[in-house]
C-alpha cells in the first residue's frame, strides 16, 4: 500500500512537471502567432504586401474614403509649354504657355492662366478662376468661370471680363488622362463680345509628364479664328 501511494504521488508530480514545461514552450509560440497575425491581419504573403502601396497604406490606417472623394482631386495641377498653330491666320506657328488648376487650399477653387502668340499676327492670354461645384474626387465636374482675357488679331482686338463655364472628365484619379470643355465670353453683352470655345485632352506618358492637345475657337462679329496646340505638361 505504501508503494502504491508513492507511485501515485510520483505520477502526479510527473504530470505537473510535464504540464509546466509544455506551458513554458507553448507560451512563446502563441505569442509569436499573435504578433504575426497583428502585423499581417490579411494573412497574405509578405511579397504581395511589399509590392502594394495601397495594402501598406490600408494596414497602417484605414482611409476615410468619403473625405478623399470630397477633397482629394481626381485631376492635378498642370504646367505646360508647347507649339501652337493658327489655321485661320495662314497657319502661322507660335507658342502656347499655360498653367491649369492651381488649387486654393482644399477647396474646389482653382486658378488657371495661359498665353498664346504667333509672334506678330495673333496674341491671346489671360487668367481665370474656376470653382468646381461637385466633390473633387468625382469622375466628372463642372465649374463656373470668371476672369480676364485679352486677344489681338489682324482684324480686331478685345479685352475685358471673361465669364462662362467648364466641364471636366478626369479619366484617372492620378491625373493620367482627362478631357475638358469650356465656353466663355469676353466682354459679354457688348457689341465687341467674343466667344471662346476650348476643348482639350491630356494623356500621361510618365508619372509627372503628360502630352496634351488643345483646340480653341474664337467667335466675334468680325471674324472666326481658330487655334490648335500640342503641349508638354508637367504635373508637380
Amino acid at each position: 500500500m505504501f508503494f502504491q501511494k508513492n507511485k501515485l504521488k510520483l505520477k502526479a508530480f510527473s504530470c505537473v512537471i510535464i504540464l509546466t514545461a509544455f506551458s513554458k514552450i507553448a507560451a512563446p509560440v502563441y505569442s509569436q502567432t499573435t504578433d504575426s497575425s497583428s502585423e499581417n491581419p490579411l494573412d497574405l504573403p509578405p511579397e504581395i504586401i511589399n509590392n502594394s502601396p495601397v495594402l501598406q497604406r490600408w494596414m497602417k490606417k484605414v482611409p476615410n474614403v468619403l473625405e478623399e472623394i470630397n477633397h482629394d482631386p481626381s485631376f492635378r495641377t498642370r504646367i505646360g509649354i508647347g507649339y501652337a498653330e493658327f489655321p485661320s491666320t495662314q497657319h502661322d506657328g507660335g507658342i502656347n504657355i499655360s498653367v491649369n488648376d492651381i488649387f486654393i487650399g482644399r477647396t474646389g477653387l482653382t486658378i488657371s492662366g495661359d498665353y498664346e502668340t504667333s509672334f506678330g499676327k495673333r496674341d491671346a492670354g489671360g487668367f481665370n478662376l474656376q470653382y468646381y461645384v461637385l466633390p473633387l474626387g468625382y469622375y466628372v465636374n463642372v465649374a463656373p468661370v470668371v476672369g480676364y482675357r485679352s486677344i489681338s488679331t489682324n482684324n480686331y482686338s478685345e479685352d475685358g471680363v471673361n465669364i462662362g463655364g467648364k466641364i471636366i472628365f478626369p479619366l484617372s484619379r492620378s491625373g493620367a488622362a482627362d478631357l475638358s470643355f469650356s465656353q466663355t465670353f469676353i466682354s459679354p453683352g457688348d457689341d465687341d463680345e467674343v466667344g471662346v470655345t476650348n476643348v482639350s485632352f491630356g494623356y500621361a506618358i510618365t508619372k509627372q509628364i503628360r502630352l496634351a492637345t488643345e483646340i480653341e475657337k474664337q467667335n466675334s462679329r468680325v471674324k472666326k479664328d481658330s487655334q490648335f496646340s500640342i503641349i508638354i505638361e508637367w504635373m508637380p
Side-chain angles (χ1 to χ4, degrees), residues 77-92:
T77 299
R78 289 96 61 206
I79 301 171
I81 184 170
Y83 171 78
E85 184 169 304
F86 304 91
S88 60
T89 313
Q90 299 176 344
H91 290 274
D92 282 351

Side-chain angles (χ1 to χ4, degrees), residues 140-236:
V140 61
N141 220 314
V142 294
V145 176
V146 61
Y148 170 85
R149 192 163 187 82
S150 174
I151 59 175
S152 177
T153 73
N154 286 340
N155 300 293
Y156 64 93
S157 62
E158 183 63 26
D159 65 278
V161 175
N162 190 38
I163 297 176
K166 176 182 179 180
I167 182 169
I168 184 170
F169 299 93
L171 307 179
S172 168
R173 282 188 59 85
S174 63
D178 59 52
L179 173 68
S180 67
F181 170 85
S182 68
Q183 176 65 57
T184 60
F185 299 91
I186 305 171
S187 303
D190 290 354
D191 292 338
D192 297 328
E193 174 185 297
V194 179
V196 181
T197 304
N198 183 289
V199 179
S200 66
F201 174 74
Y203 187 83
I205 53 180
T206 72
K207 288 185 177 180
Q208 290 186 297
I209 302 298
R210 299 197 333 165
L211 181 65
T213 59
E214 181 180 283
I215 301 173
E216 187 171 283
K217 296 282 187 179
Q218 293 178 179
N219 300 312
S220 73
R221 296 184 179 183
V222 178
K223 187 182 178 183
K224 295 183 178 181
D225 292 292
S226 57
Q227 170 197 318
F228 174 77
S229 300
I230 299 177
I231 307 166
I232 295 293
E233 294 180 328
W234 174 59
M235 297 182 292

Side-chain angles (χ1 to χ4, degrees), residues 93-124:
I95 191 172
N96 182 317
I97 301 172
S98 62
V99 178
N100 292 289
D101 290 318
I102 298 176
F103 288 89
I104 309 300
R106 288 175 60 84
T107 70
L109 182 64
T110 71
I111 184 170
S112 301
D114 68 288
Y115 176 70
E116 302 87 37
T117 181
S118 66
F119 304 105
K121 295 181 181 180
R122 287 279 300 278
D123 293 284

Side-chain angles (χ1 to χ4, degrees), residues 57-73:
R57 179 186 171 199
W58 277 68
M59 290 175 66
K60 290 180 181 178
K61 182 181 179 181
V62 177
N64 187 330
V65 177
L66 183 59
E67 179 75 10
E68 289 189 355
I69 291 175
N70 287 331
H71 298 290
D72 289 347

